[in-house]
Amino acid sequence: DAGVTQSPTHLIKTRGQQVTLRCSPISGHKSVSWYQQVLGQGPQFIFQYYEKEERGRGNFPDRFSARQFPNYSSELNVNALLLGDSALYLCASSLSEYGELFFGEGSRLTVL
Amino acid sequence: AQSVTQLDSHVSVSEGTPVLLRCNYSSSYSPSLFWYVQHPNKGLQLLLKYTSAATLVKGINGFEAEFKKSETSFHLTKPSAHMSDAAEYFCVVTYTGGFKTIFGAGTRLFVKA
């Protein structure tokens, strides 16, 4: 079975641009969550979606938004990119809201 | 505020000696607790999880963790370290009230030959 897949794996943007990151959960998983991992730090929770509804939000500005589609895949959007948004963005899926998280390999965003 | 504290940023042990990675969390009703491992340039992998069953939880690769509610701790142990255990370890707590998943800052484990 395929694991959690994320795209793109690497991307470079300039300040002020917008980016969309995509995540496909493991088949049957209805929960998707997003995390930002800055180099040398632990992942920071951004959003969690379950059954297409936002169920949790971390301490990130409104420039960050996400959504979950009927097939449970998800997109994370970041507007007006700042240098500090450079990070590894991780997506995780789980069967339930509070279950074990299965992580993708991440999308590494570099903002110049 | 909800928080997860990993008490050591780095731990260094010799191969074959015990490992102890410490984690404390802020108190909450029925938290779910996890330990994840991240090897260099690889994704996060679940080691073990506590979800209000037995307080001593066994995970993969010989790791264990004990949930102590009175101390709000969830320390990770392994009786004998192996070179392949060298990695970054994260203690993770999911708070069910107002859903939120919080990672500790991580503990880098070094294993010396």
Side-chain angles (χ1 to χ4, degrees):
Chain A
D1 285 342
V4 177
T5 57
Q6 293 186 242
S7 63
T9 55
H10 296 81
L11 68 165
I12 299 173
K13 294 284 188 177
T14 56
R15 282 177 295 176
Q17 286 189 313
Q18 175 263 344
V19 67
T20 297
L21 308 177
R22 297 175 177 83
C23 173
S24 293
I26 292 172
S27 178
H29 286 195
K30 298 181 179 180
S31 176
V32 170
S33 50
W34 287 94
Y35 303 83
Q36 180 195 66
Q37 187 175 21
V38 173
L39 196 62
Q41 297 181 19
Q44 299 292 314
F45 172 71
I46 309 176
F47 286 108
Q48 194 247 1
Y49 279 78
Y50 179 72
E51 286 281 19
K52 301 177 286 294
E53 290 188 2
E54 182 183 303
R55 302 305 293 264
R57 175 186 285 252
N59 297 324
F60 280 82
D62 292 343
R63 299 184 296 108
F64 289 76
S65 63
R67 54 181 174 169
Q68 187 177 33
F69 298 99
N71 66 353
Y72 301 109
S73 66
S74 178
E75 286 183 352
L76 174 70
N77 295 285
V78 187
N79 294 322
L81 285 167
L82 303 174
L83 296 179
D85 295 331
S86 295
L88 180 67
Y89 288 84
L90 295 165
C91 173
S93 74
S94 60
L95 273 171
S96 65
E97 288 183 80
Y98 310 117
E100 172 186 351
L101 298 172
F102 293 83
F103 284 87
E105 296 285 324
S107 294
R108 184 163 298 281
L109 170 66
T110 302
V111 182
L112 302 176
Chain B
Q2 297 154 339
S3 64
V4 179
T5 303
Q6 291 184 241
L7 293 146
D8 306 290
S9 59
H10 297 86
V11 169
S12 182
V13 300
S14 297
E15 192 173 23
T17 65
V19 175
L20 171 63
L21 305 183
R22 298 180 294 167
C23 173
N24 287 99
Y25 63 95
S26 58
S27 179
S28 174
Y29 178 74
S30 297
S32 293
L33 301 161
F34 307 83
W35 276 97
Y36 283 82
V37 61
Q38 188 175 39
H39 289 274
N41 300 317
K42 292 196 174 181
L44 286 153
Q45 181 186 17
L46 178 71
L47 279 177
L48 50 81
K49 62 181 176 181
Y50 167 79
T51 52
S52 73
T55 56
L56 182 63
V57 181
K58 294 186 183 297
I60 63 172
N61 301 334
F63 284 95
E64 294 183 345
E66 186 173 7
F67 172 68
K68 291 187 177 181
K69 186 174 181 178
S70 61
E71 299 176 10
T72 60
S73 69
F74 190 56
H75 300 336
L76 181 71
T77 61
K78 183 173 181 178
S80 177
H82 191 272
M83 295 296 289
S84 61
D85 294 328
E88 186 91 23
Y89 291 81
F90 293 99
C91 180
V92 181
V93 179
T94 296
Y95 291 93
T96 55
F99 179 87
K100 201 171 202 177
T101 296
I102 300 178
F103 277 71
T107 298
R108 171 74 63 180
L109 176 64
F110 296 93
V111 182
K112 299 173 289 187

